[in-house]
Structures are given as C-alpha cells and as structure tokens.
C-alpha cells in the first residue's frame, strides 16, 4: 500500500514510521525546505512528562503519554530517563500544593534531596516534587534520527513541495500539516508559544526542571554542551511573528529566579511558533475518504504523537469502506 | 433586576476566560455558571488583532455578552489604547478598566484609573473600573462618569476572599444605589456568598473556577453560592449578638428544683 504523509513534523514522522511498520510504502511531503524548517515541533521542549502534565491536562494525556517514553527510546534511542523535578519559590507554595494535588507518580522531597538530584540547585529550594518515571529528549536530534531511520527503511522525503492532491495520485494520505490543515479542520486554533535557547557553563542540570509560578509556568530542559531550552509561553493567538520582548523578559526572569547563573547565559536563539489545538486541547485522528487527519497535538507533540501515529496508521491502512469505524476511532480519541 | 449601563442582567456572576485547561472546558464552565457576561483580555491573548480571533470566536459562540478588559495595562495611555482596540474588535462600548499600579499585588493605580476613566467616558465608553474599596476614589470614579464600581475582594488571583469586610461594607453603605461588583480575590463559593450577603450586586471571578480541579463543577457551585448569598441578603438576616438567646422560650417550663 502506498501512503503520502503531508508534513514532516513530529506527527508526520511518527505516523510514517508506524505506516512503514505496517508494510506501507511511504512518501513524506513538506513545503518547508528542510527538516524542521516549518515544523512547530522544532521549537518543542521535548519533555516526556505525562504525569506532570496532569496538572492541566485530561487523564487521557497521562495514559496515552506513558507509552511515549518507550516508543521514542526504541525509535531513536534518544530518551534520557532522569525524571522531572518540580520546584516553587517559597512564596508560591500554594502553586506547589495545587500541583501536587493534581498530579501523580511523584515523590515529595526536601531540600537535601533536591540538592542530591541537582547539586547546582542546593540551598535554593526547601521542597520539591520528583517524578522519577519521566524523561526528556532533544527534539531536533530525535526528529533527525527519526528521519534517518525512515530513509533507511525506504521512505522518500520531498521537501520544498506544496501538498498537491493531484500529484498524490491514488495514494492514501495522512495529513499531518499541523495548523496549516485548518482549511480541512476549521475548529483548529493556534496557541502561540515562545521559547529561548541559552548556553552557560555555570550551571548543570540532569533533568527538566519546572518552576511553579502563578503567572508564568516555566520550565528549563537541559541539552548537551551547557545548552538549555527555556519555555514556554501559552497565548491564545495564531500569530507567528517573533517573540515579544515581554515574553522574553518573563522567561528570563523565571530562569533567573531558578538560578542566577542564567543571568550570565548567552542567548543562542529566541523563537515563537504556533501549536495546533482543538477546543478540548486533545489530539484527533480522523479519516475522511482516503485522507486520515492527525492534528491538534497542542503542547503534547512528542508525548502524544506515538499513540496518534499508531492510530492513524491503523485507520489509514484499512480499506476505505470501513470509514464508519474511523468515526468511532475519532470519538474514542 | 441588575442593571449595567441600561442593560438588564439576570445572572449575578461574571466570569473571566483565562487559564482554563481548554476552551472546551471554559465553554462548559460558562454554561454551568449561567453567566451572561464573560470578560476577555485583549492584551495578552491577541498578539496582532486578527490572530486571536479563533479564541474569541469560541467565546462569541456561547451567546453571552463580552466585557473586554485592559488586564495587564500599567499606564493610562496603555489602558486607553487597549480600550479603543477592544471597542473595535468586540463592537461594544463596555470596558473593564484595569490600570495596574504595583507588580506584586497587581493593585490598581487609582490615580491613573480615575484619569483613564475620565478619558474613556468622554469618548463614549461605559467603564467598569477595577478599583479598591477606597471611598474617595469611588467618589472620583463616579464623578468621572462611571455608573458602577468594581472593588477588589483581595488581590487578583490570590483566592483570599474578602480582605477588608469593613471597607466593603462601608462602600456599600455610602453608595446604596450604585451597582457594586466584587472583582478579584475570590477563592471559594463561600467568599462569593459572603460578598452577596454584604449587599453587593454581583461577583466577577476567574482563577477560582479556571484553576479548580473540576472547573465546570466549581462554576456551578459559585452560581448557587451567589444565588444563596443574594437571597440571604434580601431576606434580611439577623444581626449577630454576644449573649445566647434561646430559640425555645424558657417561661412556662416545669421547674424540677
């Protein structure tokens, strides 16, 4: 079976792998010039934190996200499983209590244990929540590894090409265009996110750290070589222009509150992009005729794309006349 | 019935639209609350104007009135500009006016507030000023053309409830005929009921519902608390007293000495 996947972001690449695993011959088409150039997953944090996400997400995000750790490990070998550390400034203890109440699979730890886990945070926080089962990955490396492995399996990549239904021929289509698929999915909306990448040798972290704050929920994800990703704003807007000064100030202030060493860090990158989301902020996999849509991954691209991809590959490779089943799948999703 | 600038309003709960887990939950919470007025922040949720339309479209679909606000504005100029943009975007002359004076408490800058209220009123806006319980400021806001007042219960998002009950009672007593809406600081339904028992006309809240474990259930709880508080106020509650007063008469009971 021949399938054309539209979009080489996290949804497209994961779907392609699941299709190949089911024996399909896959071509990936992306209008951007190269991997990542047009994908909002290029700006992702790469946290695989299903249990932390319960703070603001439905239970299904945790249950479906839990398999993402193994999936990414198997597909790319790029997952670091050091857990997640959550801390709050003393005056924001209410946020801390609320976060603990809303989430699961964590240990409540004291300042000494915080220092054991992250020596550079010693003496800065008197309490923390440690989610030992969570992990993280470097999104760009993971996407590149996935692309390599797909090429090795015979998947063809066509960059710089607008998806043209006429060119696709009789192929089945898996549409993973993200926000660009709004022509077909009118209730898709954009949730703008801004992030920074900085470098400093003055602080080392082994795992993502979330700093709870009533106004800006902030996290920092360590990358190799003293590089850190600082994220991320959540603004109801599909505006793609560069990050605002205000957001950058907010993110840097939070980083500085986590550790003053961030004040001396070199800023490598400032980015803004738009997360595609449906009104319930949950992803949707849905087939219409020969096209299967995978979209609405919102802030959970790396966390939820594996299960969405599995679903999409299953639905897309069925004969067309079972589309009523797809409707049921859609409701379940 | 409650009357804001000539518009009759049945529900005494006004709901903010920020910080919900999803727009779908916001919509369900709004329906469960029975609110007729949703506040929308133009500033942080827009970027350039057209791009925030999806979210506003979802709100418009609820069929309620929109009360745009100038949340996050720290100067008169910012607030006035935001109000003008909001009028254009939402097609309403209502504006919830916030001029923030202090970053930690988000306390209103009452001097800027009065000035901005005067400017906006002269431009035909119908201003809902977010203020403190200060009587003199209240007087100045009414002089500036405001026909209602929105004093805080406590600082925004703190959930502390009514911080200065004496001040709020005194404000109510001084302005018996001005619609007074408690805006900000409400954490639990009992806080909202207490505000209504003081004789306040309505309550505006956001975080207490949006960040609750179950926002939809909490929205319903607030609706009922506000209804109960209002009914209690109208029913003329008894005054508290120091000495116990038996509810069953003691005279005429058998004396078993």
């Amino acid at each position: 079976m021949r399938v054309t996947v539209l979009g080489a972001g996290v949804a497209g690449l994961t779907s392609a792998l699941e299709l190949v695993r089911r024996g399909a011959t896959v071509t990936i088409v992306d209008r951007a010039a190269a991997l990542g150039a047009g994908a909002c997953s290029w700006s992702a944090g790469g946290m695989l934190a299903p249990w932390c996400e319960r703070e603001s997400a439905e239970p299904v995000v945790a249950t479906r996200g839990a398999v993402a750790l193994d999936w990414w490990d198997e597909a790319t070998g790029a997952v670091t499983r050091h857990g997640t550390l959550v801390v709050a400034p003393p005056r924001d203890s209410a946020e801390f209590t609320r976060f603990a109440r809303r989430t699961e699979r964590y240990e409540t730890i004291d300042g000494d244990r915080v220092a054991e886990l992250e020596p550079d945070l010693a003496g800065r926080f008197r309490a923390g929540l440690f989610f030992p089962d969570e992990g993280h990955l470097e999104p760009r490396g993971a996407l590149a590894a996935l692309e390599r492995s797909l090429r090795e399996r015979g998947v063809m990549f066509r960059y710089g090409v607008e998806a043209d239904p006429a060119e696709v021929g009789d192929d089945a289509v898996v549409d993973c265009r993200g926000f660009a698929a709004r022509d077909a999915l009118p209730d898709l909306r954009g949730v703008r996110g801004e992030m920074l990448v900085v470098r400093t040798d003055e602080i080392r972290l082994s795992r993502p750290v979330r700093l709870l704050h009533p106004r800006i929920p902030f996290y920092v994800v360590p990358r190799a070589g003293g590089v850190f990703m600082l994220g991320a704003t959540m603004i109801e807007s599909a505006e793609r222009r560069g990050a605002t000064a205000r957001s950058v100030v907010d993110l840097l202030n939070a980083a500085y509150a986590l550790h003053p060493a961030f004040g001396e860090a070199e800023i490598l990158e400032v980015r803004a992009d738009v997360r595609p989301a449906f009104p319930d902020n949950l992803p949707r996999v849905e087939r219409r005729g020969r096209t299967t849509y995978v979209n609405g991954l919102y802030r959970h691209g790396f966390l939820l794309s594996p299960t969405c991809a599995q679903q999409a590959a299953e639905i897309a490779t069925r004969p067309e006349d079972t589309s009523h089943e797809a409707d049921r799948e859609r409701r379940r999703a | 019935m409650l009357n804001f600038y000539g518009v009759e309003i049945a529900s005494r709960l006004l709901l903010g639209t920020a910080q919900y887990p999803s727009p779908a939950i916001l919509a369900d919470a709004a329906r469960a609350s029975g609110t007729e007025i949703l506040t929308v922040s133009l500033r942080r949720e827009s970027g350039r104007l057209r791009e925030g339309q999806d979210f506003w479209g979802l709100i418009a679909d609820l069929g309620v009135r929109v009360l745009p606000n100038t949340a996050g504005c720290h100067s008169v100029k910012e607030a006035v500009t935001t109000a003008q943009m909001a009028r254009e975007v939402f097609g309403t002359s209502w504006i919830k006016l916030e001029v923030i004076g202090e970053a930690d408490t988000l306390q209103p800058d009452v001097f800027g507030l009065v000035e901005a209220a005067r400017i906006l009123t002269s431009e035909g806006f119908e201003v809902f000023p977010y203020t403190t319980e200060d009587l003199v400021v209240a007087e100045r806001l009414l002089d500036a053309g405001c026909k209602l007042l929105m004093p805080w219960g406590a600082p925004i998002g703190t959930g502390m409830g009514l911080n200065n009950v004496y001040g709020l009672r005194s404000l109510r007593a001084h302005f018996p005929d001005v619609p007074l809406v408690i805006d900000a600081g409400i954490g639990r339904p009992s806080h909202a009921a207490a505000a209504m028992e003081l004789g306040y006309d309505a309550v505006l809240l956001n975080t207490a519902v949006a960040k609750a474990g179950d926002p939809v259930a909490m929205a319903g709880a607030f609706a009922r608390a506000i209804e109960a508080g209002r009914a209690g106020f109208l029913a003329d509650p008894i005054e508290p007293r120091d000495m116990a007063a038996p509810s069953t008469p003691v005279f005429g009971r058998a004396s078993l000495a």
Side-chain angles (χ1 to χ4, degrees), chain B residues 99-109 130 132 152:
Chain B
V99 183
I100 300 302
E102 205 276 321
D104 273 352
T105 58
L106 300 178
Q107 178 163 344
D109 168 359
Y130 168 59
T132 66
W152 62 356

Side-chain angles (χ1 to χ4, degrees), chain A residues 82-117:
Chain A
H82 290 172
T84 304
L85 179 62
V86 177
V87 291
R91 65 181 224 174
D92 293 320
S93 61
E95 303 301 314
F96 192 80
T97 309
R98 179 178 180 275
F99 196 94
R101 210 163 53 210
R102 306 266 309 140
T103 55
E104 55 197 25
R105 291 179 72 157
Y106 59 81
E107 299 156 16
T108 304
I109 59 175
D110 61 11
D112 292 343
R113 180 82 174 118
V114 170
E116 253 174 60
L117 289 165

Side-chain angles (χ1 to χ4, degrees), chain A:
Chain A
M1 177 175 197
R2 291 164 51 84
V3 183
T4 296
V5 173
L6 309 181
V10 71
L13 297 185
T14 52
S15 295
L17 183 57
E18 288 297 330
L19 285 161
V20 168
R21 284 174 174 169
R22 284 164 180 76
T25 305
V26 177
T27 303
I28 299 185
V29 178
D30 195 302
R31 66 181 177 187
L35 178 70
C40 67
S41 33
W42 205 246
S43 307
M47 292 185 292
L48 300 172
W51 298 288
C52 273
E53 284 299 311
R54 277 291 286 123
E55 186 262 328
S56 60
E58 311 259 346
V60 65
V61 171
T63 48
R64 294 178 59 182
V67 304
L69 285 126
D70 287 339
W71 195 97
W72 282 106
D73 221 0
E74 198 196 326
T76 67
V79 178
T80 307
R81 296 180 193 239
H82 290 172
T84 304
L85 179 62
V86 177
V87 291
R91 65 181 224 174
D92 293 320
S93 61
E95 303 301 314
F96 192 80
T97 309
R98 179 178 180 275
F99 196 94
R101 210 163 53 210
R102 306 266 309 140
T103 55
E104 55 197 25
R105 291 179 72 157
Y106 59 81
E107 299 156 16
T108 304
I109 59 175
D110 61 11
D112 292 343
R113 180 82 174 118
V114 170
E116 253 174 60
L117 289 165
E118 297 292 356
D120 282 351
L121 297 182
R124 302 194 57 76
F125 299 96
R126 272 175 288 175
L129 303 175
F130 178 48
F131 294 73
D133 305 324
E134 297 188 336
H136 68 284
L137 49 72
E138 198 281 284
R140 296 172 192 182
L143 292 176
L146 198 50
E147 186 200 34
R148 258 194 321 275
S149 130
L150 288 168
R151 282 188 196 278
E152 281 162 17
R153 292 161 189 249
V155 171
M156 199 170 49
F157 283 80
R158 299 180 61 210
Y159 286 109
V161 176
E162 276 293 339
D164 180 357
E167 260 192 70
V168 170
D170 297 330
D171 287 11
V173 174
V174 177
D175 185 329
C176 303
R177 286 177 296 148
F179 191 63
R182 226 171 94 102
D183 49 0
L185 305 165
D187 58 345
L188 205 59
R189 75 184 201 288
V191 181
R192 178 177 159 87
E194 293 145 298
M195 58 83 103
L196 289 112
V197 179
V198 303
R199 178 165 53 211
T200 171
D201 294 329
E202 291 178 37
I203 173 170
R204 270 170 217 280
L205 297 174
S206 315
R207 56 184 60 73
V209 178
R210 295 188 185 216
L211 179 72
L212 302 183
H213 185 286
R215 297 186 206 167
I216 26 162
F218 169 79
Y219 60 80
V220 48
V221 189
R223 311 268 196 243
V227 174
F228 298 87
M229 183 270 194
L230 314 178
T233 56
M234 305 268 288
I235 298 170
E236 286 289 344
S237 167
E239 171 71 64
R240 280 205 137 88
R241 77 185 162 130
T244 61
R246 164 75 177 270
S247 294
V248 172
V249 166
D250 282 350
L251 291 170
L252 289 176
N253 263 334
Y256 188 75
L258 183 69
H259 198 292
F262 283 113
E264 300 302 318
E266 174 190 0
I267 296 177
L268 301 179
E269 195 180 334
V270 180
R271 273 174 89 94
D273 210 327
V274 168
R275 311 169 180 93
F278 289 113
D280 58 5
N281 289 347
L282 293 173
R284 207 182 283 169
V285 179
E286 168 188 357
R287 178 160 166 183
R288 291 183 210 158
R290 64 171 180 160
T291 304
T292 303
Y293 295 90
V294 184
N295 219 314
L297 277 93
Y298 182 49
R299 56 180 272 168
H300 302 126
F302 281 83
L303 191 61
L304 297 184
S305 55
T307 46
C308 287
Q310 286 162 352
Q311 236 181 352
E314 248 166 63
I315 296 173
T317 51
R318 274 181 208 153
E320 197 162 331
D321 61 357
T322 59
S323 57
H324 59 280
E325 280 182 49
D327 282 340
R328 273 210 297 279
E329 288 290 342
R330 184 182 60 203
R331 277 198 295 276
R332 266 217 311 272

